[in-house]
Amino acid sequence: MDMNLLAVLGILTLFLFMFLRMPISFSMFIVGFIGLVVAVSPKAAFNVLSADLWNQFSSYSLSVIPLYILMGEVVFRTGITEKMFESAYKWVGHFRGGMASTTILASAGFASICGSNSATAATMGTMALPELDKYKYDKALSTGSIATGGTLGIIIPPSTVLIVLALQMEVSVKDLFVASIIPGIFLTTLLIVTIIYLCAKSPQLGPAGERSSIKERLFSLVGVIPVAGLFIFVIGGLFFGLFTPTESGAFGAFGAIIISLVMGKMNRKNFHAAMAGTLRSSSMVLMLVVGALVFGRFLTVTRLPYAVAEWVTNLPVPPVFVLIAILIVYVIGGSIMDALGFLIISIPIFYPTILALGYDPIWFAVLLCVVTSMGAITPPVGVNVFVVQGLTKETPITTVFKGASYFLVAYIAFIALLIMFPQIILFLV
């Protein structure tokens, strides 16, 4: 059988398995393993399991994943998210749409300890929805701001998605974390400006809250200083080369435990919950890595990615048009599944093309995070939209999509800026 045809059949089978609701990791593993058996031999397929998987899982750098997840789980159970929300409201609540802006700002803060779109949206939605309803915010704006704020979960470091991308693309975790700082701040600012503009134009969307004094604003920071300090220590240590990504994850997890003990929030129940959450999330991510490894080896054997890269580079069109076409695929993919799952599936297919076109891998990785996270709020199956609608079942799904659409212009403008000015991403690297 022609190898390219075999690869296409494998990809179609993979999407069929996912349509039948088989976990992505198992789908990639099964398709990749059977594909290797057909393309090469059963011995080659088992060699991938015995040799390649061992090499991957004996890698020192892979231990960074459970460490960062543990840091997020511990901090989450200290109740710091409520303090983040309160502090954010003190600073931006007096603007029109201040509570919605608070949701975005608090989501950015929570994203610094959580690497998931949907988890950020669910956590912030639980706290923000009652407050937004109390101030009689427009339902579309309130639910849309929560869903959109959740998209920051995979952009702002330390992000599990960026770690997995670093492993797949064989680039530095440190470089990806540092490169995503400015885009994360830039995008958060754009989303808040969007809310202020919408509410200034249509005041009925969201009222302004009461103005806090400078003293109240500064005092509100006391509750978030420990975690902010931990974030600065972890990312700053990476930036200045004081320790490796794995060491920074260890410092982060240890620091989170110390902070929770000092705050009096770490009891037996919370510790068990944090460990259980870490085990669940780490197992999910590591199984995705296993599936991606086997599926990636299958695609490499068929040489489909390289054939696509060669074909694309010979097209009589500027490289930017090819890039835009690939990004559209990621927007669609991000709208039908979690960002991490789709990125892991697609990187082996598109990454060789991007390298052949001469784009910087660090820039492309961060750009992918932004584009795929936008997919989480776009129809027909924006993951974050359904998460938020599940928290307020009386609100029609169309209303949540309408609210999320308010922010798509900001997202598209931001992506255009990243393409036109790559130094937004590469400035600190």
Side-chain angles (χ1 to χ4, degrees), residues 1-8 35 38-40 298 301-304:
M1 180 183 292
D2 179 75
M3 286 294 185
N4 288 340
L5 176 60
L6 178 62
V8 171
V38 174
V40 189
F298 162 59
V301 166
T302 64
R303 297 199 61 78
L304 176 66

Side-chain angles (χ1 to χ4, degrees), residues 13 86 112 118 222 228 233 237 240 278 298 300 304 317 344 372 413 423:
T13 304
E86 293 168 6
S112 68
S118 53
V222 173
F233 176 70
F240 291 107
T278 300
F298 162 59
T300 300
L304 176 66
V317 296
I344 282 182
T372 311
Q423 286 306 312

Side-chain angles (χ1 to χ4, degrees), residues 161-174 176 365:
V161 173
L162 288 174
I163 296 171
V164 175
L165 280 179
L167 293 172
Q168 281 199 283
M169 294 181 170
E170 297 182 346
V171 297
S172 166
V173 173
K174 168 203 163 185
L176 283 188

Side-chain angles (χ1 to χ4, degrees), residues 19 51 93 115 137 140 152 194 218 238 250 346 378 383 385 387 393 397 425:
F19 178 77
Y137 270 67
L152 298 170
T194 299
L218 294 175
L238 271 178
S346 56
T378 55
V383 175
V385 171
V387 168
K393 295 187 180 297
I397 193 70
I425 292 175

Side-chain angles (χ1 to χ4, degrees), residues 130-212:
E131 297 298 319
L132 289 159
D133 289 342
K134 183 171 74 174
Y135 286 93
K136 302 188 184 305
Y137 270 67
D138 176 77
K139 269 292 184 184
L141 178 63
S142 62
T143 54
S145 62
I146 295 169
T148 305
T151 62
L152 298 170
I154 68 166
I155 300 172
I156 297 175
S159 164
T160 306
V161 173
L162 288 174
I163 296 171
V164 175
L165 280 179
L167 293 172
Q168 281 199 283
M169 294 181 170
E170 297 182 346
V171 297
S172 166
V173 173
K174 168 203 163 185
D175 287 346
L176 283 188
F177 277 10
V178 172
S180 62
I181 293 173
I182 291 179
I185 295 172
F186 201 144
L187 181 57
T188 301
T189 304
L190 271 181
L191 297 178
I192 292 174
V193 169
T194 299
I195 292 172
I196 295 172
Y197 169 77
L198 289 171
C199 293
K201 185 179 179 182
S202 305
Q204 73 277 8
L205 292 179
E210 59 272 13
R211 181 182 292 271
S212 301

Side-chain angles (χ1 to χ4, degrees), residues 357-368:
L357 292 173
Y359 287 110
D360 186 279
I362 300 292
W363 171 81
F364 181 65
V366 176
L367 181 64
L368 276 193

Side-chain angles (χ1 to χ4, degrees), residues 9-27:
L9 288 175
I11 294 170
L12 293 175
T13 304
L14 175 64
F15 281 101
L16 174 63
F17 283 166
M18 290 191 299
F19 178 77
L20 296 174
R21 304 186 71 82
M22 180 182 287
I24 297 171
S25 55
F26 295 160
S27 301

